[in-house]
């Protein structure tokens, strides 16, 4: 009799737990819909977190990480999905890892995921970002390959945003790639390549005379050239 009583209690407990779980899931699904309707990103994050605990889902995790990324919470995004490379990762998952690591100033780790994205869907925008980071980590041959790909495939209507001024601005992607090629050329040989680097800045400015980064870069290169000439004169 005692054993029967225990079995009944256990069955009742399982039934109550299942019912409670279903009720909680229904509650957070309704909460999620309401937060979406209100445009409350933190509320959406909270709802997805609870739903993922109640019913774990890879797709839900990826969405949660993407929302953290969109809110500038890069560590939380990576804590949600990790930083490891997995062949089964969705495009969204890889993109989140790449962008979060880039924004956390981890270009070497970010590039691992950018390479995966580029293999899946090669495009000019990814090529630019990869070249920029490869210059930072001194992979100059890799940067050159990405820039050449970008220049070979860029279209006239492609733009890139820049944020080094107080007011963000856009410029032609072709001009952006030429400017980056100029920086790469200078980095390859800071003495012998200075004129070639200045020419590339001028080529970028011929496309967009208001391209601030190219203007500033050209000024810096011209200053370097003047200093080199002064040093050579003094030496002679």
């Amino acid at each position: 009799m005692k054993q029967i009583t225990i079995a009944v209690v256990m069955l009742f407990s399982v039934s109550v737990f299942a019912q409670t779980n279903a009720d909680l899931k229904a509650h957070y699904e309704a909460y999620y819909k309401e937060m979406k309707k209100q445009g409350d990103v933190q509320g959406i994050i909270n709802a997805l977190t609870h739903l993922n605990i109640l019913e774990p889902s890879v797709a839900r995790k990826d969405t949660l990480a993407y929302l953290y990324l969109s809110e500038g919470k890069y560590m939380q995004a990576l804590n949600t999905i990790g930083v490891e490379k997995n062949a089964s990762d969705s495009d969204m998952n890889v993109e989140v890892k790449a962008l979060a690591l880039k924004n956390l100033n981890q270009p070497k780790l970010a590039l691992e995921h950018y390479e995966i994205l580029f293999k899946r869907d090669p495009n000019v925008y990814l090529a630019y970002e990869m070249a920029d980071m490869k210059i930072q980590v001194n992979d100059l041959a890799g940067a050159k390959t990405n820039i050449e790909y970008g220049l070979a495939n860029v279209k006239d209507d492609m733009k890139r945003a820049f944020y080094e001024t107080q007011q963000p601005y856009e410029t032609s992607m072709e001009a952006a790639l030429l400017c980056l090629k100029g920086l790469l050329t200078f980095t390859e040989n800071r003495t012998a390549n200075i004129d070639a680097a200045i020419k590339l800045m001028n080529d970028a400015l011929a496309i967009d005379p208001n391209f601030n980064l190219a203007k500033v870069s050209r000024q810096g290169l011209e200053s370097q050239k003047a200093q080199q000439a002064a040093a050579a004169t003094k030496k002679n």
Side-chain angles (χ1 to χ4, degrees):
M1 185 68 183
K2 186 178 179 182
Q3 288 180 337
I4 295 172
T5 304
I6 292 170
V8 169
V9 169
M10 286 179 68
L11 284 170
F12 178 74
S13 299
V14 169
S15 174
V16 169
F17 177 77
Q19 186 177 1
T20 303
N21 224 36
D23 290 344
L24 281 171
K25 185 170 176 286
H27 165 76
Y28 283 111
E29 282 173 344
Y31 179 67
Y32 172 72
K33 289 177 183 176
E34 185 62 28
M35 292 300 98
K36 277 187 74 176
K37 189 168 74 174
Q38 294 179 18
D40 185 335
V41 179
Q42 188 55 55
I44 295 170
I45 288 172
N46 293 341
L48 283 175
T49 301
H50 282 93
L51 284 168
N52 199 55
I53 291 169
L54 293 166
E55 189 177 79
S57 156
V58 172
R60 193 176 286 129
K61 252 187 171 183
D62 287 355
T63 304
L64 185 56
Y66 185 83
L67 287 167
Y68 275 128
L69 179 78
S70 68
E71 291 295 287
K73 297 178 178 180
Y74 307 120
M75 282 304 303
Q76 289 91 330
L78 294 175
N79 287 338
T80 302
I81 57 173
V83 298
E84 300 82 8
K85 290 191 297 180
N86 297 303
S88 60
D89 282 348
S90 66
D91 289 348
M92 181 191 290
N93 182 298
V94 181
E95 184 180 0
V96 168
K97 290 175 182 178
L99 289 170
L101 286 163
K102 180 190 173 188
N103 281 287
L104 289 169
N105 199 29
Q106 297 291 331
K108 282 187 178 180
L109 289 173
L111 276 165
E112 293 181 6
H113 300 288
Y114 272 98
E115 294 286 4
I116 294 170
L117 288 173
F118 193 77
K119 282 178 183 175
R120 293 182 182 183
D121 180 24
N123 64 75
V124 173
Y125 298 99
L126 283 175
Y128 181 96
E129 298 304 327
M130 291 167 69
D132 189 21
M133 284 187 286
K134 284 178 182 179
I135 293 172
Q136 294 175 43
V137 301
N138 207 35
D139 178 8
L140 304 186
K144 187 173 183 178
T145 298
N146 290 136
I147 290 170
E148 293 306 327
Y149 172 90
L151 288 170
N153 292 279
V154 70
K155 301 291 187 292
D156 291 341
D157 61 345
M158 290 181 176
K159 303 286 184 184
R160 188 184 187 277
F162 286 86
Y163 302 93
E164 84 278 359
T165 59
Q166 200 168 18
Q167 183 67 39
Y169 65 95
E170 279 190 339
T171 193
S172 154
M173 178 57 92
E174 184 178 3
L177 285 161
L178 288 168
C179 178
L180 194 59
K181 186 174 181 179
L183 294 172
L184 170 63
T185 301
F186 177 65
T187 305
E188 287 174 326
N189 191 319
R190 294 172 183 268
T191 303
N193 289 354
I194 198 159
D195 286 331
I198 291 171
K199 181 186 180 303
L200 285 161
M201 295 304 167
N202 286 330
D203 291 345
L205 288 165
I207 296 170
D208 181 1
N210 297 315
F211 184 7
N212 183 71
L213 183 60
K215 284 183 186 177
V216 172
S217 299
R218 183 178 65 181
Q219 289 170 3
L221 289 166
E222 288 172 341
S223 176
Q224 283 277 330
K225 184 178 178 180
Q227 288 174 25
Q228 289 176 13
T233 302
K234 187 176 179 182
K235 188 177 179 181
N236 292 333

